[in-house]
Amino acid sequence: MLKQLLVRKTDFTDADDAHGPTLRRTLGPWGLTALGIGAVIGGGIFVITGQAAADHAGPAVILSFILAAITSTFTALCYAEFATMIPVAGSAYSYAYATLGELMAWFIGWNLVLEYGVSASAVAVSWTGYFQSLLSHIGQTFHMDLSLPASLTNAPLAFTTDHHLIVTGALFNLPAVVLIGLLTWICYVGIRESSLTNAVMVALKVSLIALVIVVGWRYVDPSNWHPFVPAPQGEKYGWGGVLRGAAMVFFAYIGFEATSTAAQESRNPQRDLPIAILASLAICTVLYIAMAAVMTGLTSYTLLGTDEPVVTALQGHPALGWLRWLVEIGAMLGLASVVLVMIIAQPRIFMIMGRDGMLPKVFTRIHPQHRTPYLNTLITGTGIGLLAAIFPLDILADLVSMGTLIAFIAVCGGVWILRHTQPELPRTFRVPWAPLICTLGILSCLALLSTMAWYNWTLMVVWTLIGLVIYFGYSYRHSHLRRT
């Protein structure tokens, strides 16, 4: 039985041909890069930057972003090599199937549900907060009450600080459900429409972020950057704080690998996927560093530990008050594009798992006109919408990060394994100094996993056990490769 659990898939050439209508190959390097940027830059650029500066690194949060970018680059390089060898939509699931065996592939695929499905729900809930803030701001400006009832903007369930589940009295989170419904419809209609919508949102939010950076730079006071690395205060600041800040902001980079799930809708995946993965990471890094420099230069880093640190930084400069509108709109666009890319990515991973027999055939059906995994998209959108409407998802943030880090470890290890087991495979992109890069990628992810609390590990064990029940209850008996 152990041998059957470790069986590996080596032939990915039947990705489309044997399954009826195929996905439409319409994406070039710019469309794929926009998907990566859309998945990475959400509301975090407006929030996590200031909080990491206030709580950990001070102005040296700039160094924290650089360290986190270097760590992300290790994994991005490994994703780029895999994407040229196995250009299918399964992402880390397919890469694990080729290197680590079926059981580990299922484990990675199950964790990708956290990264894409569950996180999309959590981001949609955050979008509601910014939507409410924008309505409040508009209402104050025009002396109107535009706020929605609390019963329609909160989940009916919530966790207390000691992790007890309570009933809040709310009905459901209506704005989050409407957002997910609209984006699911766009994903149902076609990848061209989804990609265009994402590209428009990415262009708008990057333009707004760039405007905040350029205008804010004129009001930067360099004295706010001194001392650049504040003296240690317990667990705060100092070089230890810079490293802790790097661990915190690392999660702001998660999402660049979502580009790989569009492999079967790329016109030239072997050429374009490595470009898109690395370009999206580079662009996001520049924006993060510039935003960190402006925020810590506008005001003292000690004041930025708020829910809206950019607004806090702008409040000290009345001439910049009008930028608050742009911050709120930019955050909403950023969060919406993240949800959109996650709804694009998750059904395509389910589709590949279904084609392997790991999930029912309903997940594999392609719409003959729209050429999208339409039933799969509807199922995924409904599930994400229910989670966002009913459940408190903030408690799962670290669990999402853990699932992503485990997938990253599998990808870094997989590149190294295939270099030894199948060195003859054609690789249009190769990780330079692979043993070193793969090792550093694995070690950096393990280091970040080591910072997780015992409670998060308990949740991960429960999540894994649920996945194993599904695997042995259905996937093990229906796996096409194992039956062959």
Side-chain angles (χ1 to χ4, degrees):
M1 180 176 178
L2 179 60
K3 184 177 180 180
Q4 292 178 332
L5 294 176
L6 298 179
V7 63
R8 293 183 297 169
K9 183 175 181 179
T10 57
D11 183 9
F12 291 88
T13 58
D14 67 339
D16 282 323
D17 298 340
H19 301 278
T22 61
L23 298 173
R24 182 177 283 118
R25 292 188 178 274
T26 62
L27 299 178
W30 290 111
L32 292 168
T33 301
L35 285 179
I37 298 173
V40 173
I41 295 185
I45 192 171
F46 300 105
V47 178
I48 199 171
T49 306
Q51 293 178 344
D55 298 336
H56 297 291
V61 70
I62 296 170
L63 298 180
S64 297
F65 273 109
I66 294 173
L67 290 174
I70 293 172
T71 301
S72 300
T73 301
F74 299 147
T75 305
L77 290 170
C78 294
Y79 266 96
E81 177 167 326
F82 258 128
T84 65
M85 289 189 297
I86 308 175
V88 297
S91 188
Y93 159 78
S94 294
Y95 308 157
Y97 214 160
T99 56
L100 302 174
E102 182 175 285
L103 180 61
M104 184 57 69
W106 169 264
F107 175 63
I108 297 301
W110 184 239
N111 281 325
L112 289 178
V113 176
L114 286 173
E115 179 179 1
Y116 296 125
V118 175
S119 67
S121 300
V123 173
V125 171
S126 299
W127 184 88
T128 297
Y130 280 99
F131 180 66
Q132 284 281 81
S133 177
L134 181 62
L135 288 181
S136 174
H137 192 190
I138 295 174
Q140 291 174 6
T141 302
F142 295 100
H143 307 289
M144 301 166 59
D145 183 9
L146 299 178
S147 60
L148 296 175
S151 61
L152 294 178
T153 56
N154 293 287
L157 303 174
F159 278 109
T160 62
T161 54
D162 54 354
H163 308 309
H164 287 103
L165 193 64
I166 61 172
V167 176
T168 64
L171 296 176
F172 64 98
N173 191 327
L174 177 62
V177 172
V178 172
L179 174 69
I180 292 169
L182 176 61
L183 297 180
T184 299
W185 175 77
I186 294 173
C187 293
Y188 178 95
V189 169
I191 187 62
R192 184 183 289 114
E193 292 77 7
S194 303
S195 176
L196 178 60
T197 302
N198 176 70
V200 170
M201 288 195 290
V202 166
L204 287 173
K205 72 178 178 181
V206 170
S207 299
L208 293 176
I209 291 169
L211 182 62
V212 171
I213 292 170
V214 171
V215 175
W217 190 263
R218 299 173 54 197
Y219 294 85
V220 163
D221 181 359
S223 65
N224 287 322
W225 291 331
H226 300 288
F228 188 67
V229 181
Q233 299 178 16
E235 295 187 355
K236 281 187 174 185
Y237 310 135
W239 288 105
V242 173
L243 294 177
R244 284 187 290 274
M248 181 178 184
V249 303
F250 171 82
F251 302 116
Y253 286 97
I254 289 175
F256 64 85
E257 76 289 353
T259 301
S260 62
T261 65
Q264 287 168 245
E265 288 147 304
S266 169
R267 291 193 293 267
N268 188 350
Q270 280 86 356
R271 183 199 69 182
D272 294 343
L273 283 174
I275 294 173
I277 291 171
L278 297 174
S280 60
L281 182 61
I283 292 170
C284 294
T285 298
V286 171
L287 292 175
Y288 279 140
I289 292 173
M291 180 64 81
V294 168
M295 289 175 61
T296 55
L298 286 175
T299 191
S300 171
Y301 62 87
T302 59
L303 303 177
L304 296 177
T306 64
D307 291 335
E308 294 182 292
V310 177
V311 175
T312 302
L314 297 176
Q315 284 175 343
H317 304 273
L320 299 178
W322 60 276
L323 283 178
R324 177 182 171 183
W325 291 84
L326 298 184
V327 170
E328 291 173 341
I329 294 172
M332 289 178 61
L333 287 171
L335 292 168
S337 69
V338 171
V339 176
L340 176 64
V341 176
M342 298 301 133
I343 297 176
I344 292 173
Q346 184 65 78
R348 283 150 181 79
I349 294 174
F350 282 158
M351 179 189 70
I352 297 299
M353 296 176 75
R355 289 181 177 179
D356 290 334
M358 309 286 266
L359 292 174
K361 289 184 178 180
V362 67
F363 287 94
T364 68
R365 295 177 183 171
I366 304 297
H367 196 285
Q369 178 183 351
H370 301 310
R371 307 276 283 277
T372 58
Y374 65 112
L375 293 178
N376 188 351
T377 298
L378 293 177
I379 293 170
T380 302
T382 301
I384 291 172
L386 287 174
L387 283 175
I390 298 173
F391 292 99
L393 296 167
D394 54 333
I395 198 72
L396 298 179
D398 286 338
L399 187 61
V400 170
S401 300
M402 292 176 73
T404 305
L405 288 170
I406 292 170
F408 283 2
I409 291 172
V411 171
C412 292
V415 167
W416 200 353
I417 290 172
L418 275 190
R419 286 288 184 93
H420 290 282
T421 59
Q422 294 180 274
E424 75 286 353
L425 283 178
R427 297 167 168 85
T428 57
F429 177 88
R430 296 176 67 90
V431 176
W433 309 295
L436 175 63
I437 295 297
C438 294
T439 301
L440 290 174
I442 292 171
L443 291 177
S444 59
C445 291
L446 288 173
L448 293 173
L449 281 173
S450 69
T451 65
M452 299 297 176
W454 66 269
Y455 179 74
N456 297 313
W457 285 104
T458 303
L459 287 176
M460 177 55 70
V461 170
V462 173
W463 178 259
T464 301
L465 290 175
I466 295 172
L468 290 176
V469 169
I470 298 173
Y471 174 74
F472 287 106
Y474 180 89
S475 305
Y476 178 78
R477 293 184 291 111
H478 294 82
S479 166
H480 294 166
L481 181 61
R482 194 181 58 77
R483 291 164 71 181
T484 303

